[in-house]
């Protein structure tokens, strides 16, 4: 069993100041950023920045990216993030499909597996499938890197949290080895994000109260975070360069929901149940919905899609989007999900026409990535590395450092 963590020293990721620097390195991309710029943008002293960057380089998280001319004296050394220093797993647990992917530290997908799934099969068989696919994914990626499937090792599986509790998985026994920081799982809501348990998922009430997060952590020996599919996607989108400060990600696939970002922070609500757009009643005498209500946006939209009436589904979706815009005054509406991606222009035009007809000028866009939810699930684990646990996803370096020396 390997005793080292190879390319990453996980405890080093827990410092607030380190997170500020890492986020700036992430935002700088391959071009990198100098220590002087890091000091100016974090408010830390040059000495503090030098200490932090020295640790990051020693831990394999940062590397030199060349030199940049200065106004006087020797050229400045430019540093960049090393994306391969750590990885995260993202899981999208949909009603009829399971997607599992592996991303690097920058959130770029490096491996992916997909298979049909029946969420109604029950927690046991479904979590068996998730466990199998996660280990299969790590084994495939590890084997591709020359380490072989047997190279993944759980370190500290009997440590904090008790026997079988979260540890660290290392990829690449034959090389410099990088850690898998954890697993983010996104599934249909409603659910309790803090407790890690689903609520009464529409059509699948048997999932209510099942300890999904804790059971998967025990099975995988890794930290696990559980969130709604729409929240995960919104988180990933919010962390992209140039993302608007306030937006709604409206997902229409096997169900309908919204992930909300307001003032640069995800809006989950006090009971983490915000964003249940699909169960907004828009027709009092409408058809029954699996949630127990009638005339829900989700029921009407999915029925229109099933009839092949995509333009009609888009107009219905536009009504829900308009309600979000008027209620929350968001900067943008982003559409995604399997049904939307089957006819992106039809849905974007239909939603935009409804907004325009109501005098609303909010821009409407389409998230073209099929796996936006799974990618966002990986960010549930990655975001805290870059300081997102403070609650804001933009300008993380704008907060006060915990020390300046």
């Amino acid at each position: 069993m390997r005793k080292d963590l190879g390319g990453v020293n996980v405890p080093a990721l827990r410092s607030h100041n380190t997170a500020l620097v890492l986020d700036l390195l992430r935002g700088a991309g391959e071009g990198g950023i100098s220590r002087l710029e890091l000091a100016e943008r974090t408010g830390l002293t040059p000495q503090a920045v030098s200490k932090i960057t020295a640790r990051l380089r020693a831990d394999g998280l940062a590397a030199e990216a060349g030199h940049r001319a200065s106004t006087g004296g020797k050229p400045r050394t430019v540093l960049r993030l090393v994306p391969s220093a750590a990885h995260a797993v993202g899981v999208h647990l949909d009603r009829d499909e399971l997607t599992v992917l592996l991303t690097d530290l920058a959130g770029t997908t490096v491996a992916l597996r997909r298979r049909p799934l029946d969420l109604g099969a029950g927690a046991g068989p479904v979590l068996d499938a998730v466990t199998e696919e996660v280990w299969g994914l790590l084994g495939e990626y590890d084997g591709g890197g020359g380490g072989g499937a047997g190279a993944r090792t759980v370190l500290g599986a009997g440590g904090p949290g008790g026997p079988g509790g979260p540890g660290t998985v290392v990829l690449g026994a034959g090389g410099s080895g990088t850690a898998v920081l954890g697993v983010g799982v996104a599934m249909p809501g409603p659910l309790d994000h803090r407790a890690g348990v689903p609520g009464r998922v529409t059509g699948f009430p048997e999932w209510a109260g099942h300890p999904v997060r804790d059971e998967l952590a025990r099975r995988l020996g890794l930290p696990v975070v559980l969130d709604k599919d729409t929240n995960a996607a919104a988180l990933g989108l919010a962390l992209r360069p140039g993302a608007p400060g306030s937006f709604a990600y409206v997902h229409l696939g096997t169900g309908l929901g919204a992930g909300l970002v307001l003032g640069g922070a995800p809006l989950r609500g006090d009971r983490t149940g915000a964003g249940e757009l699909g169960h907004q009643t828009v027709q009092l005498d409408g058809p029954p919905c699996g949630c127990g209500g009638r005339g829900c946006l989700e029921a009407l939209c999915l029925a229109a899609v099933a009839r092949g009436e995509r333009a009609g589904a888009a107009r219905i979706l536009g009504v829900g989007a308009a309600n979000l815009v008027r209620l929350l005054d968001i900067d943008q509406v982003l559409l995604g999900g399997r049904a939307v991606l089957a006819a992106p222009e039809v849905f974007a035009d239909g939603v935009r026409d409804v907004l325009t007809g109501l005098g609303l000028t909010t821009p409407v866009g389409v998230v073209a990535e099929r796996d936006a939810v799974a990618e966002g699930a990986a960010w549930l684990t990655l975001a805290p590395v870059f300081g997102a646990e403070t609650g804001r996803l933009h300008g993380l370096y704008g907060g006060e450092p915990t020390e300046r020396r």
Side-chain angles (χ1 to χ4, degrees):
M1 179 181 291
R2 298 182 60 212
K3 300 297 184 182
D4 65 296
L5 293 183
V8 63
N9 179 0
V10 176
L13 302 179
R14 297 181 184 140
S15 159
H16 173 65
N17 291 349
T18 300
L20 301 183
V21 171
L22 278 170
D23 189 58
L24 284 171
L25 290 171
R26 179 182 71 88
E30 287 296 314
I33 186 171
S34 71
R35 292 179 181 85
L36 180 59
E37 291 172 289
L38 288 171
E40 290 173 347
R41 298 183 66 179
T42 60
L44 293 164
T45 65
Q47 293 85 350
V49 168
S50 292
K51 289 180 182 178
I52 291 170
T53 55
R55 284 200 308 269
L56 293 177
R57 290 183 63 191
D59 294 332
L61 290 161
E64 288 191 7
H67 295 83
R68 187 175 296 164
S70 65
T71 54
K74 63 180 182 180
R76 300 173 186 169
T77 300
V78 177
L79 301 173
R80 64 172 178 84
L81 185 73
V82 178
S84 61
H87 293 79
V89 176
V91 176
H92 181 192
L93 193 55
D94 207 347
R95 292 172 174 85
D96 62 357
E97 185 177 72
L98 172 63
T99 302
V100 179
L101 54 79
L102 184 71
T103 74
D104 62 20
L105 190 55
T108 301
T109 300
V110 297
L112 182 145
R113 287 166 70 103
R114 199 189 316 274
R115 67 189 266 185
L117 182 83
D118 177 10
L119 196 63
V126 169
L127 297 184
D128 284 344
V130 173
T131 304
E132 178 184 337
E133 291 303 314
V134 169
W135 285 125
L137 178 83
L138 296 179
E140 282 182 3
Y141 182 74
D142 206 25
R152 59 179 192 271
T153 304
V154 179
L155 302 182
T168 300
V169 172
V170 177
L171 301 176
S176 59
T178 63
V180 179
L181 301 177
V183 180
V185 179
M187 68 179 292
L191 57 76
D192 188 330
H193 168 66
R194 297 189 188 96
V197 300
R200 191 176 182 276
V201 179
T202 304
F204 304 93
E206 64 273 17
W207 280 87
H210 192 86
V212 170
R213 181 193 64 198
D214 292 348
E215 183 171 336
L216 280 176
R218 177 183 58 79
R219 288 167 174 251
L220 297 170
L222 278 167
V224 174
V225 182
L226 178 71
D227 208 343
K228 286 201 301 187
D229 45 13
T230 49
N231 287 344
L235 173 65
L237 295 171
L239 284 161
R240 293 183 179 182
S246 299
F247 67 88
Y249 169 71
V250 178
H251 183 97
L252 180 60
T254 59
L256 171 61
L260 307 173
V261 172
L262 300 180
L267 176 67
R268 292 187 175 94
D270 287 346
R271 285 158 294 281
T272 72
E276 290 295 317
L277 176 68
H279 301 291
Q280 183 181 105
T281 300
V282 292
Q283 184 179 342
L284 291 176
D285 59 348
C289 176
C291 73
R294 300 187 70 90
C296 291
L297 199 65
E298 176 178 291
L300 295 171
C301 267
L302 292 179
V305 170
R307 295 192 300 267
E309 298 173 3
R310 288 172 173 159
R315 288 192 296 272
I316 296 167
L317 195 61
V319 172
N323 289 343
L324 285 176
V325 170
R326 288 188 286 202
L327 182 66
L328 301 173
D329 193 25
I330 50 180
D331 298 327
Q332 189 174 16
V333 174
L334 295 173
L335 308 177
R338 194 184 310 170
V340 169
L341 295 184
E345 292 184 3
V346 171
F347 276 94
D349 289 345
V351 172
R352 193 178 295 114
D353 287 347
V354 172
L355 295 183
T356 301
L358 295 170
L360 302 172
T361 59
T362 306
V364 177
V366 173
V367 177
E369 292 85 356
R370 176 183 178 183
D371 298 311
V373 172
E375 291 168 3
W379 276 108
L380 292 171
T381 293
L382 291 174
V385 173
F386 301 102
E389 74 272 21
T390 60
R392 290 192 64 82
L393 303 177
H394 297 282
L396 295 175
Y397 42 83
E400 283 298 314
T402 57
E403 59 178 335
R404 294 181 181 274
R405 60 182 186 276

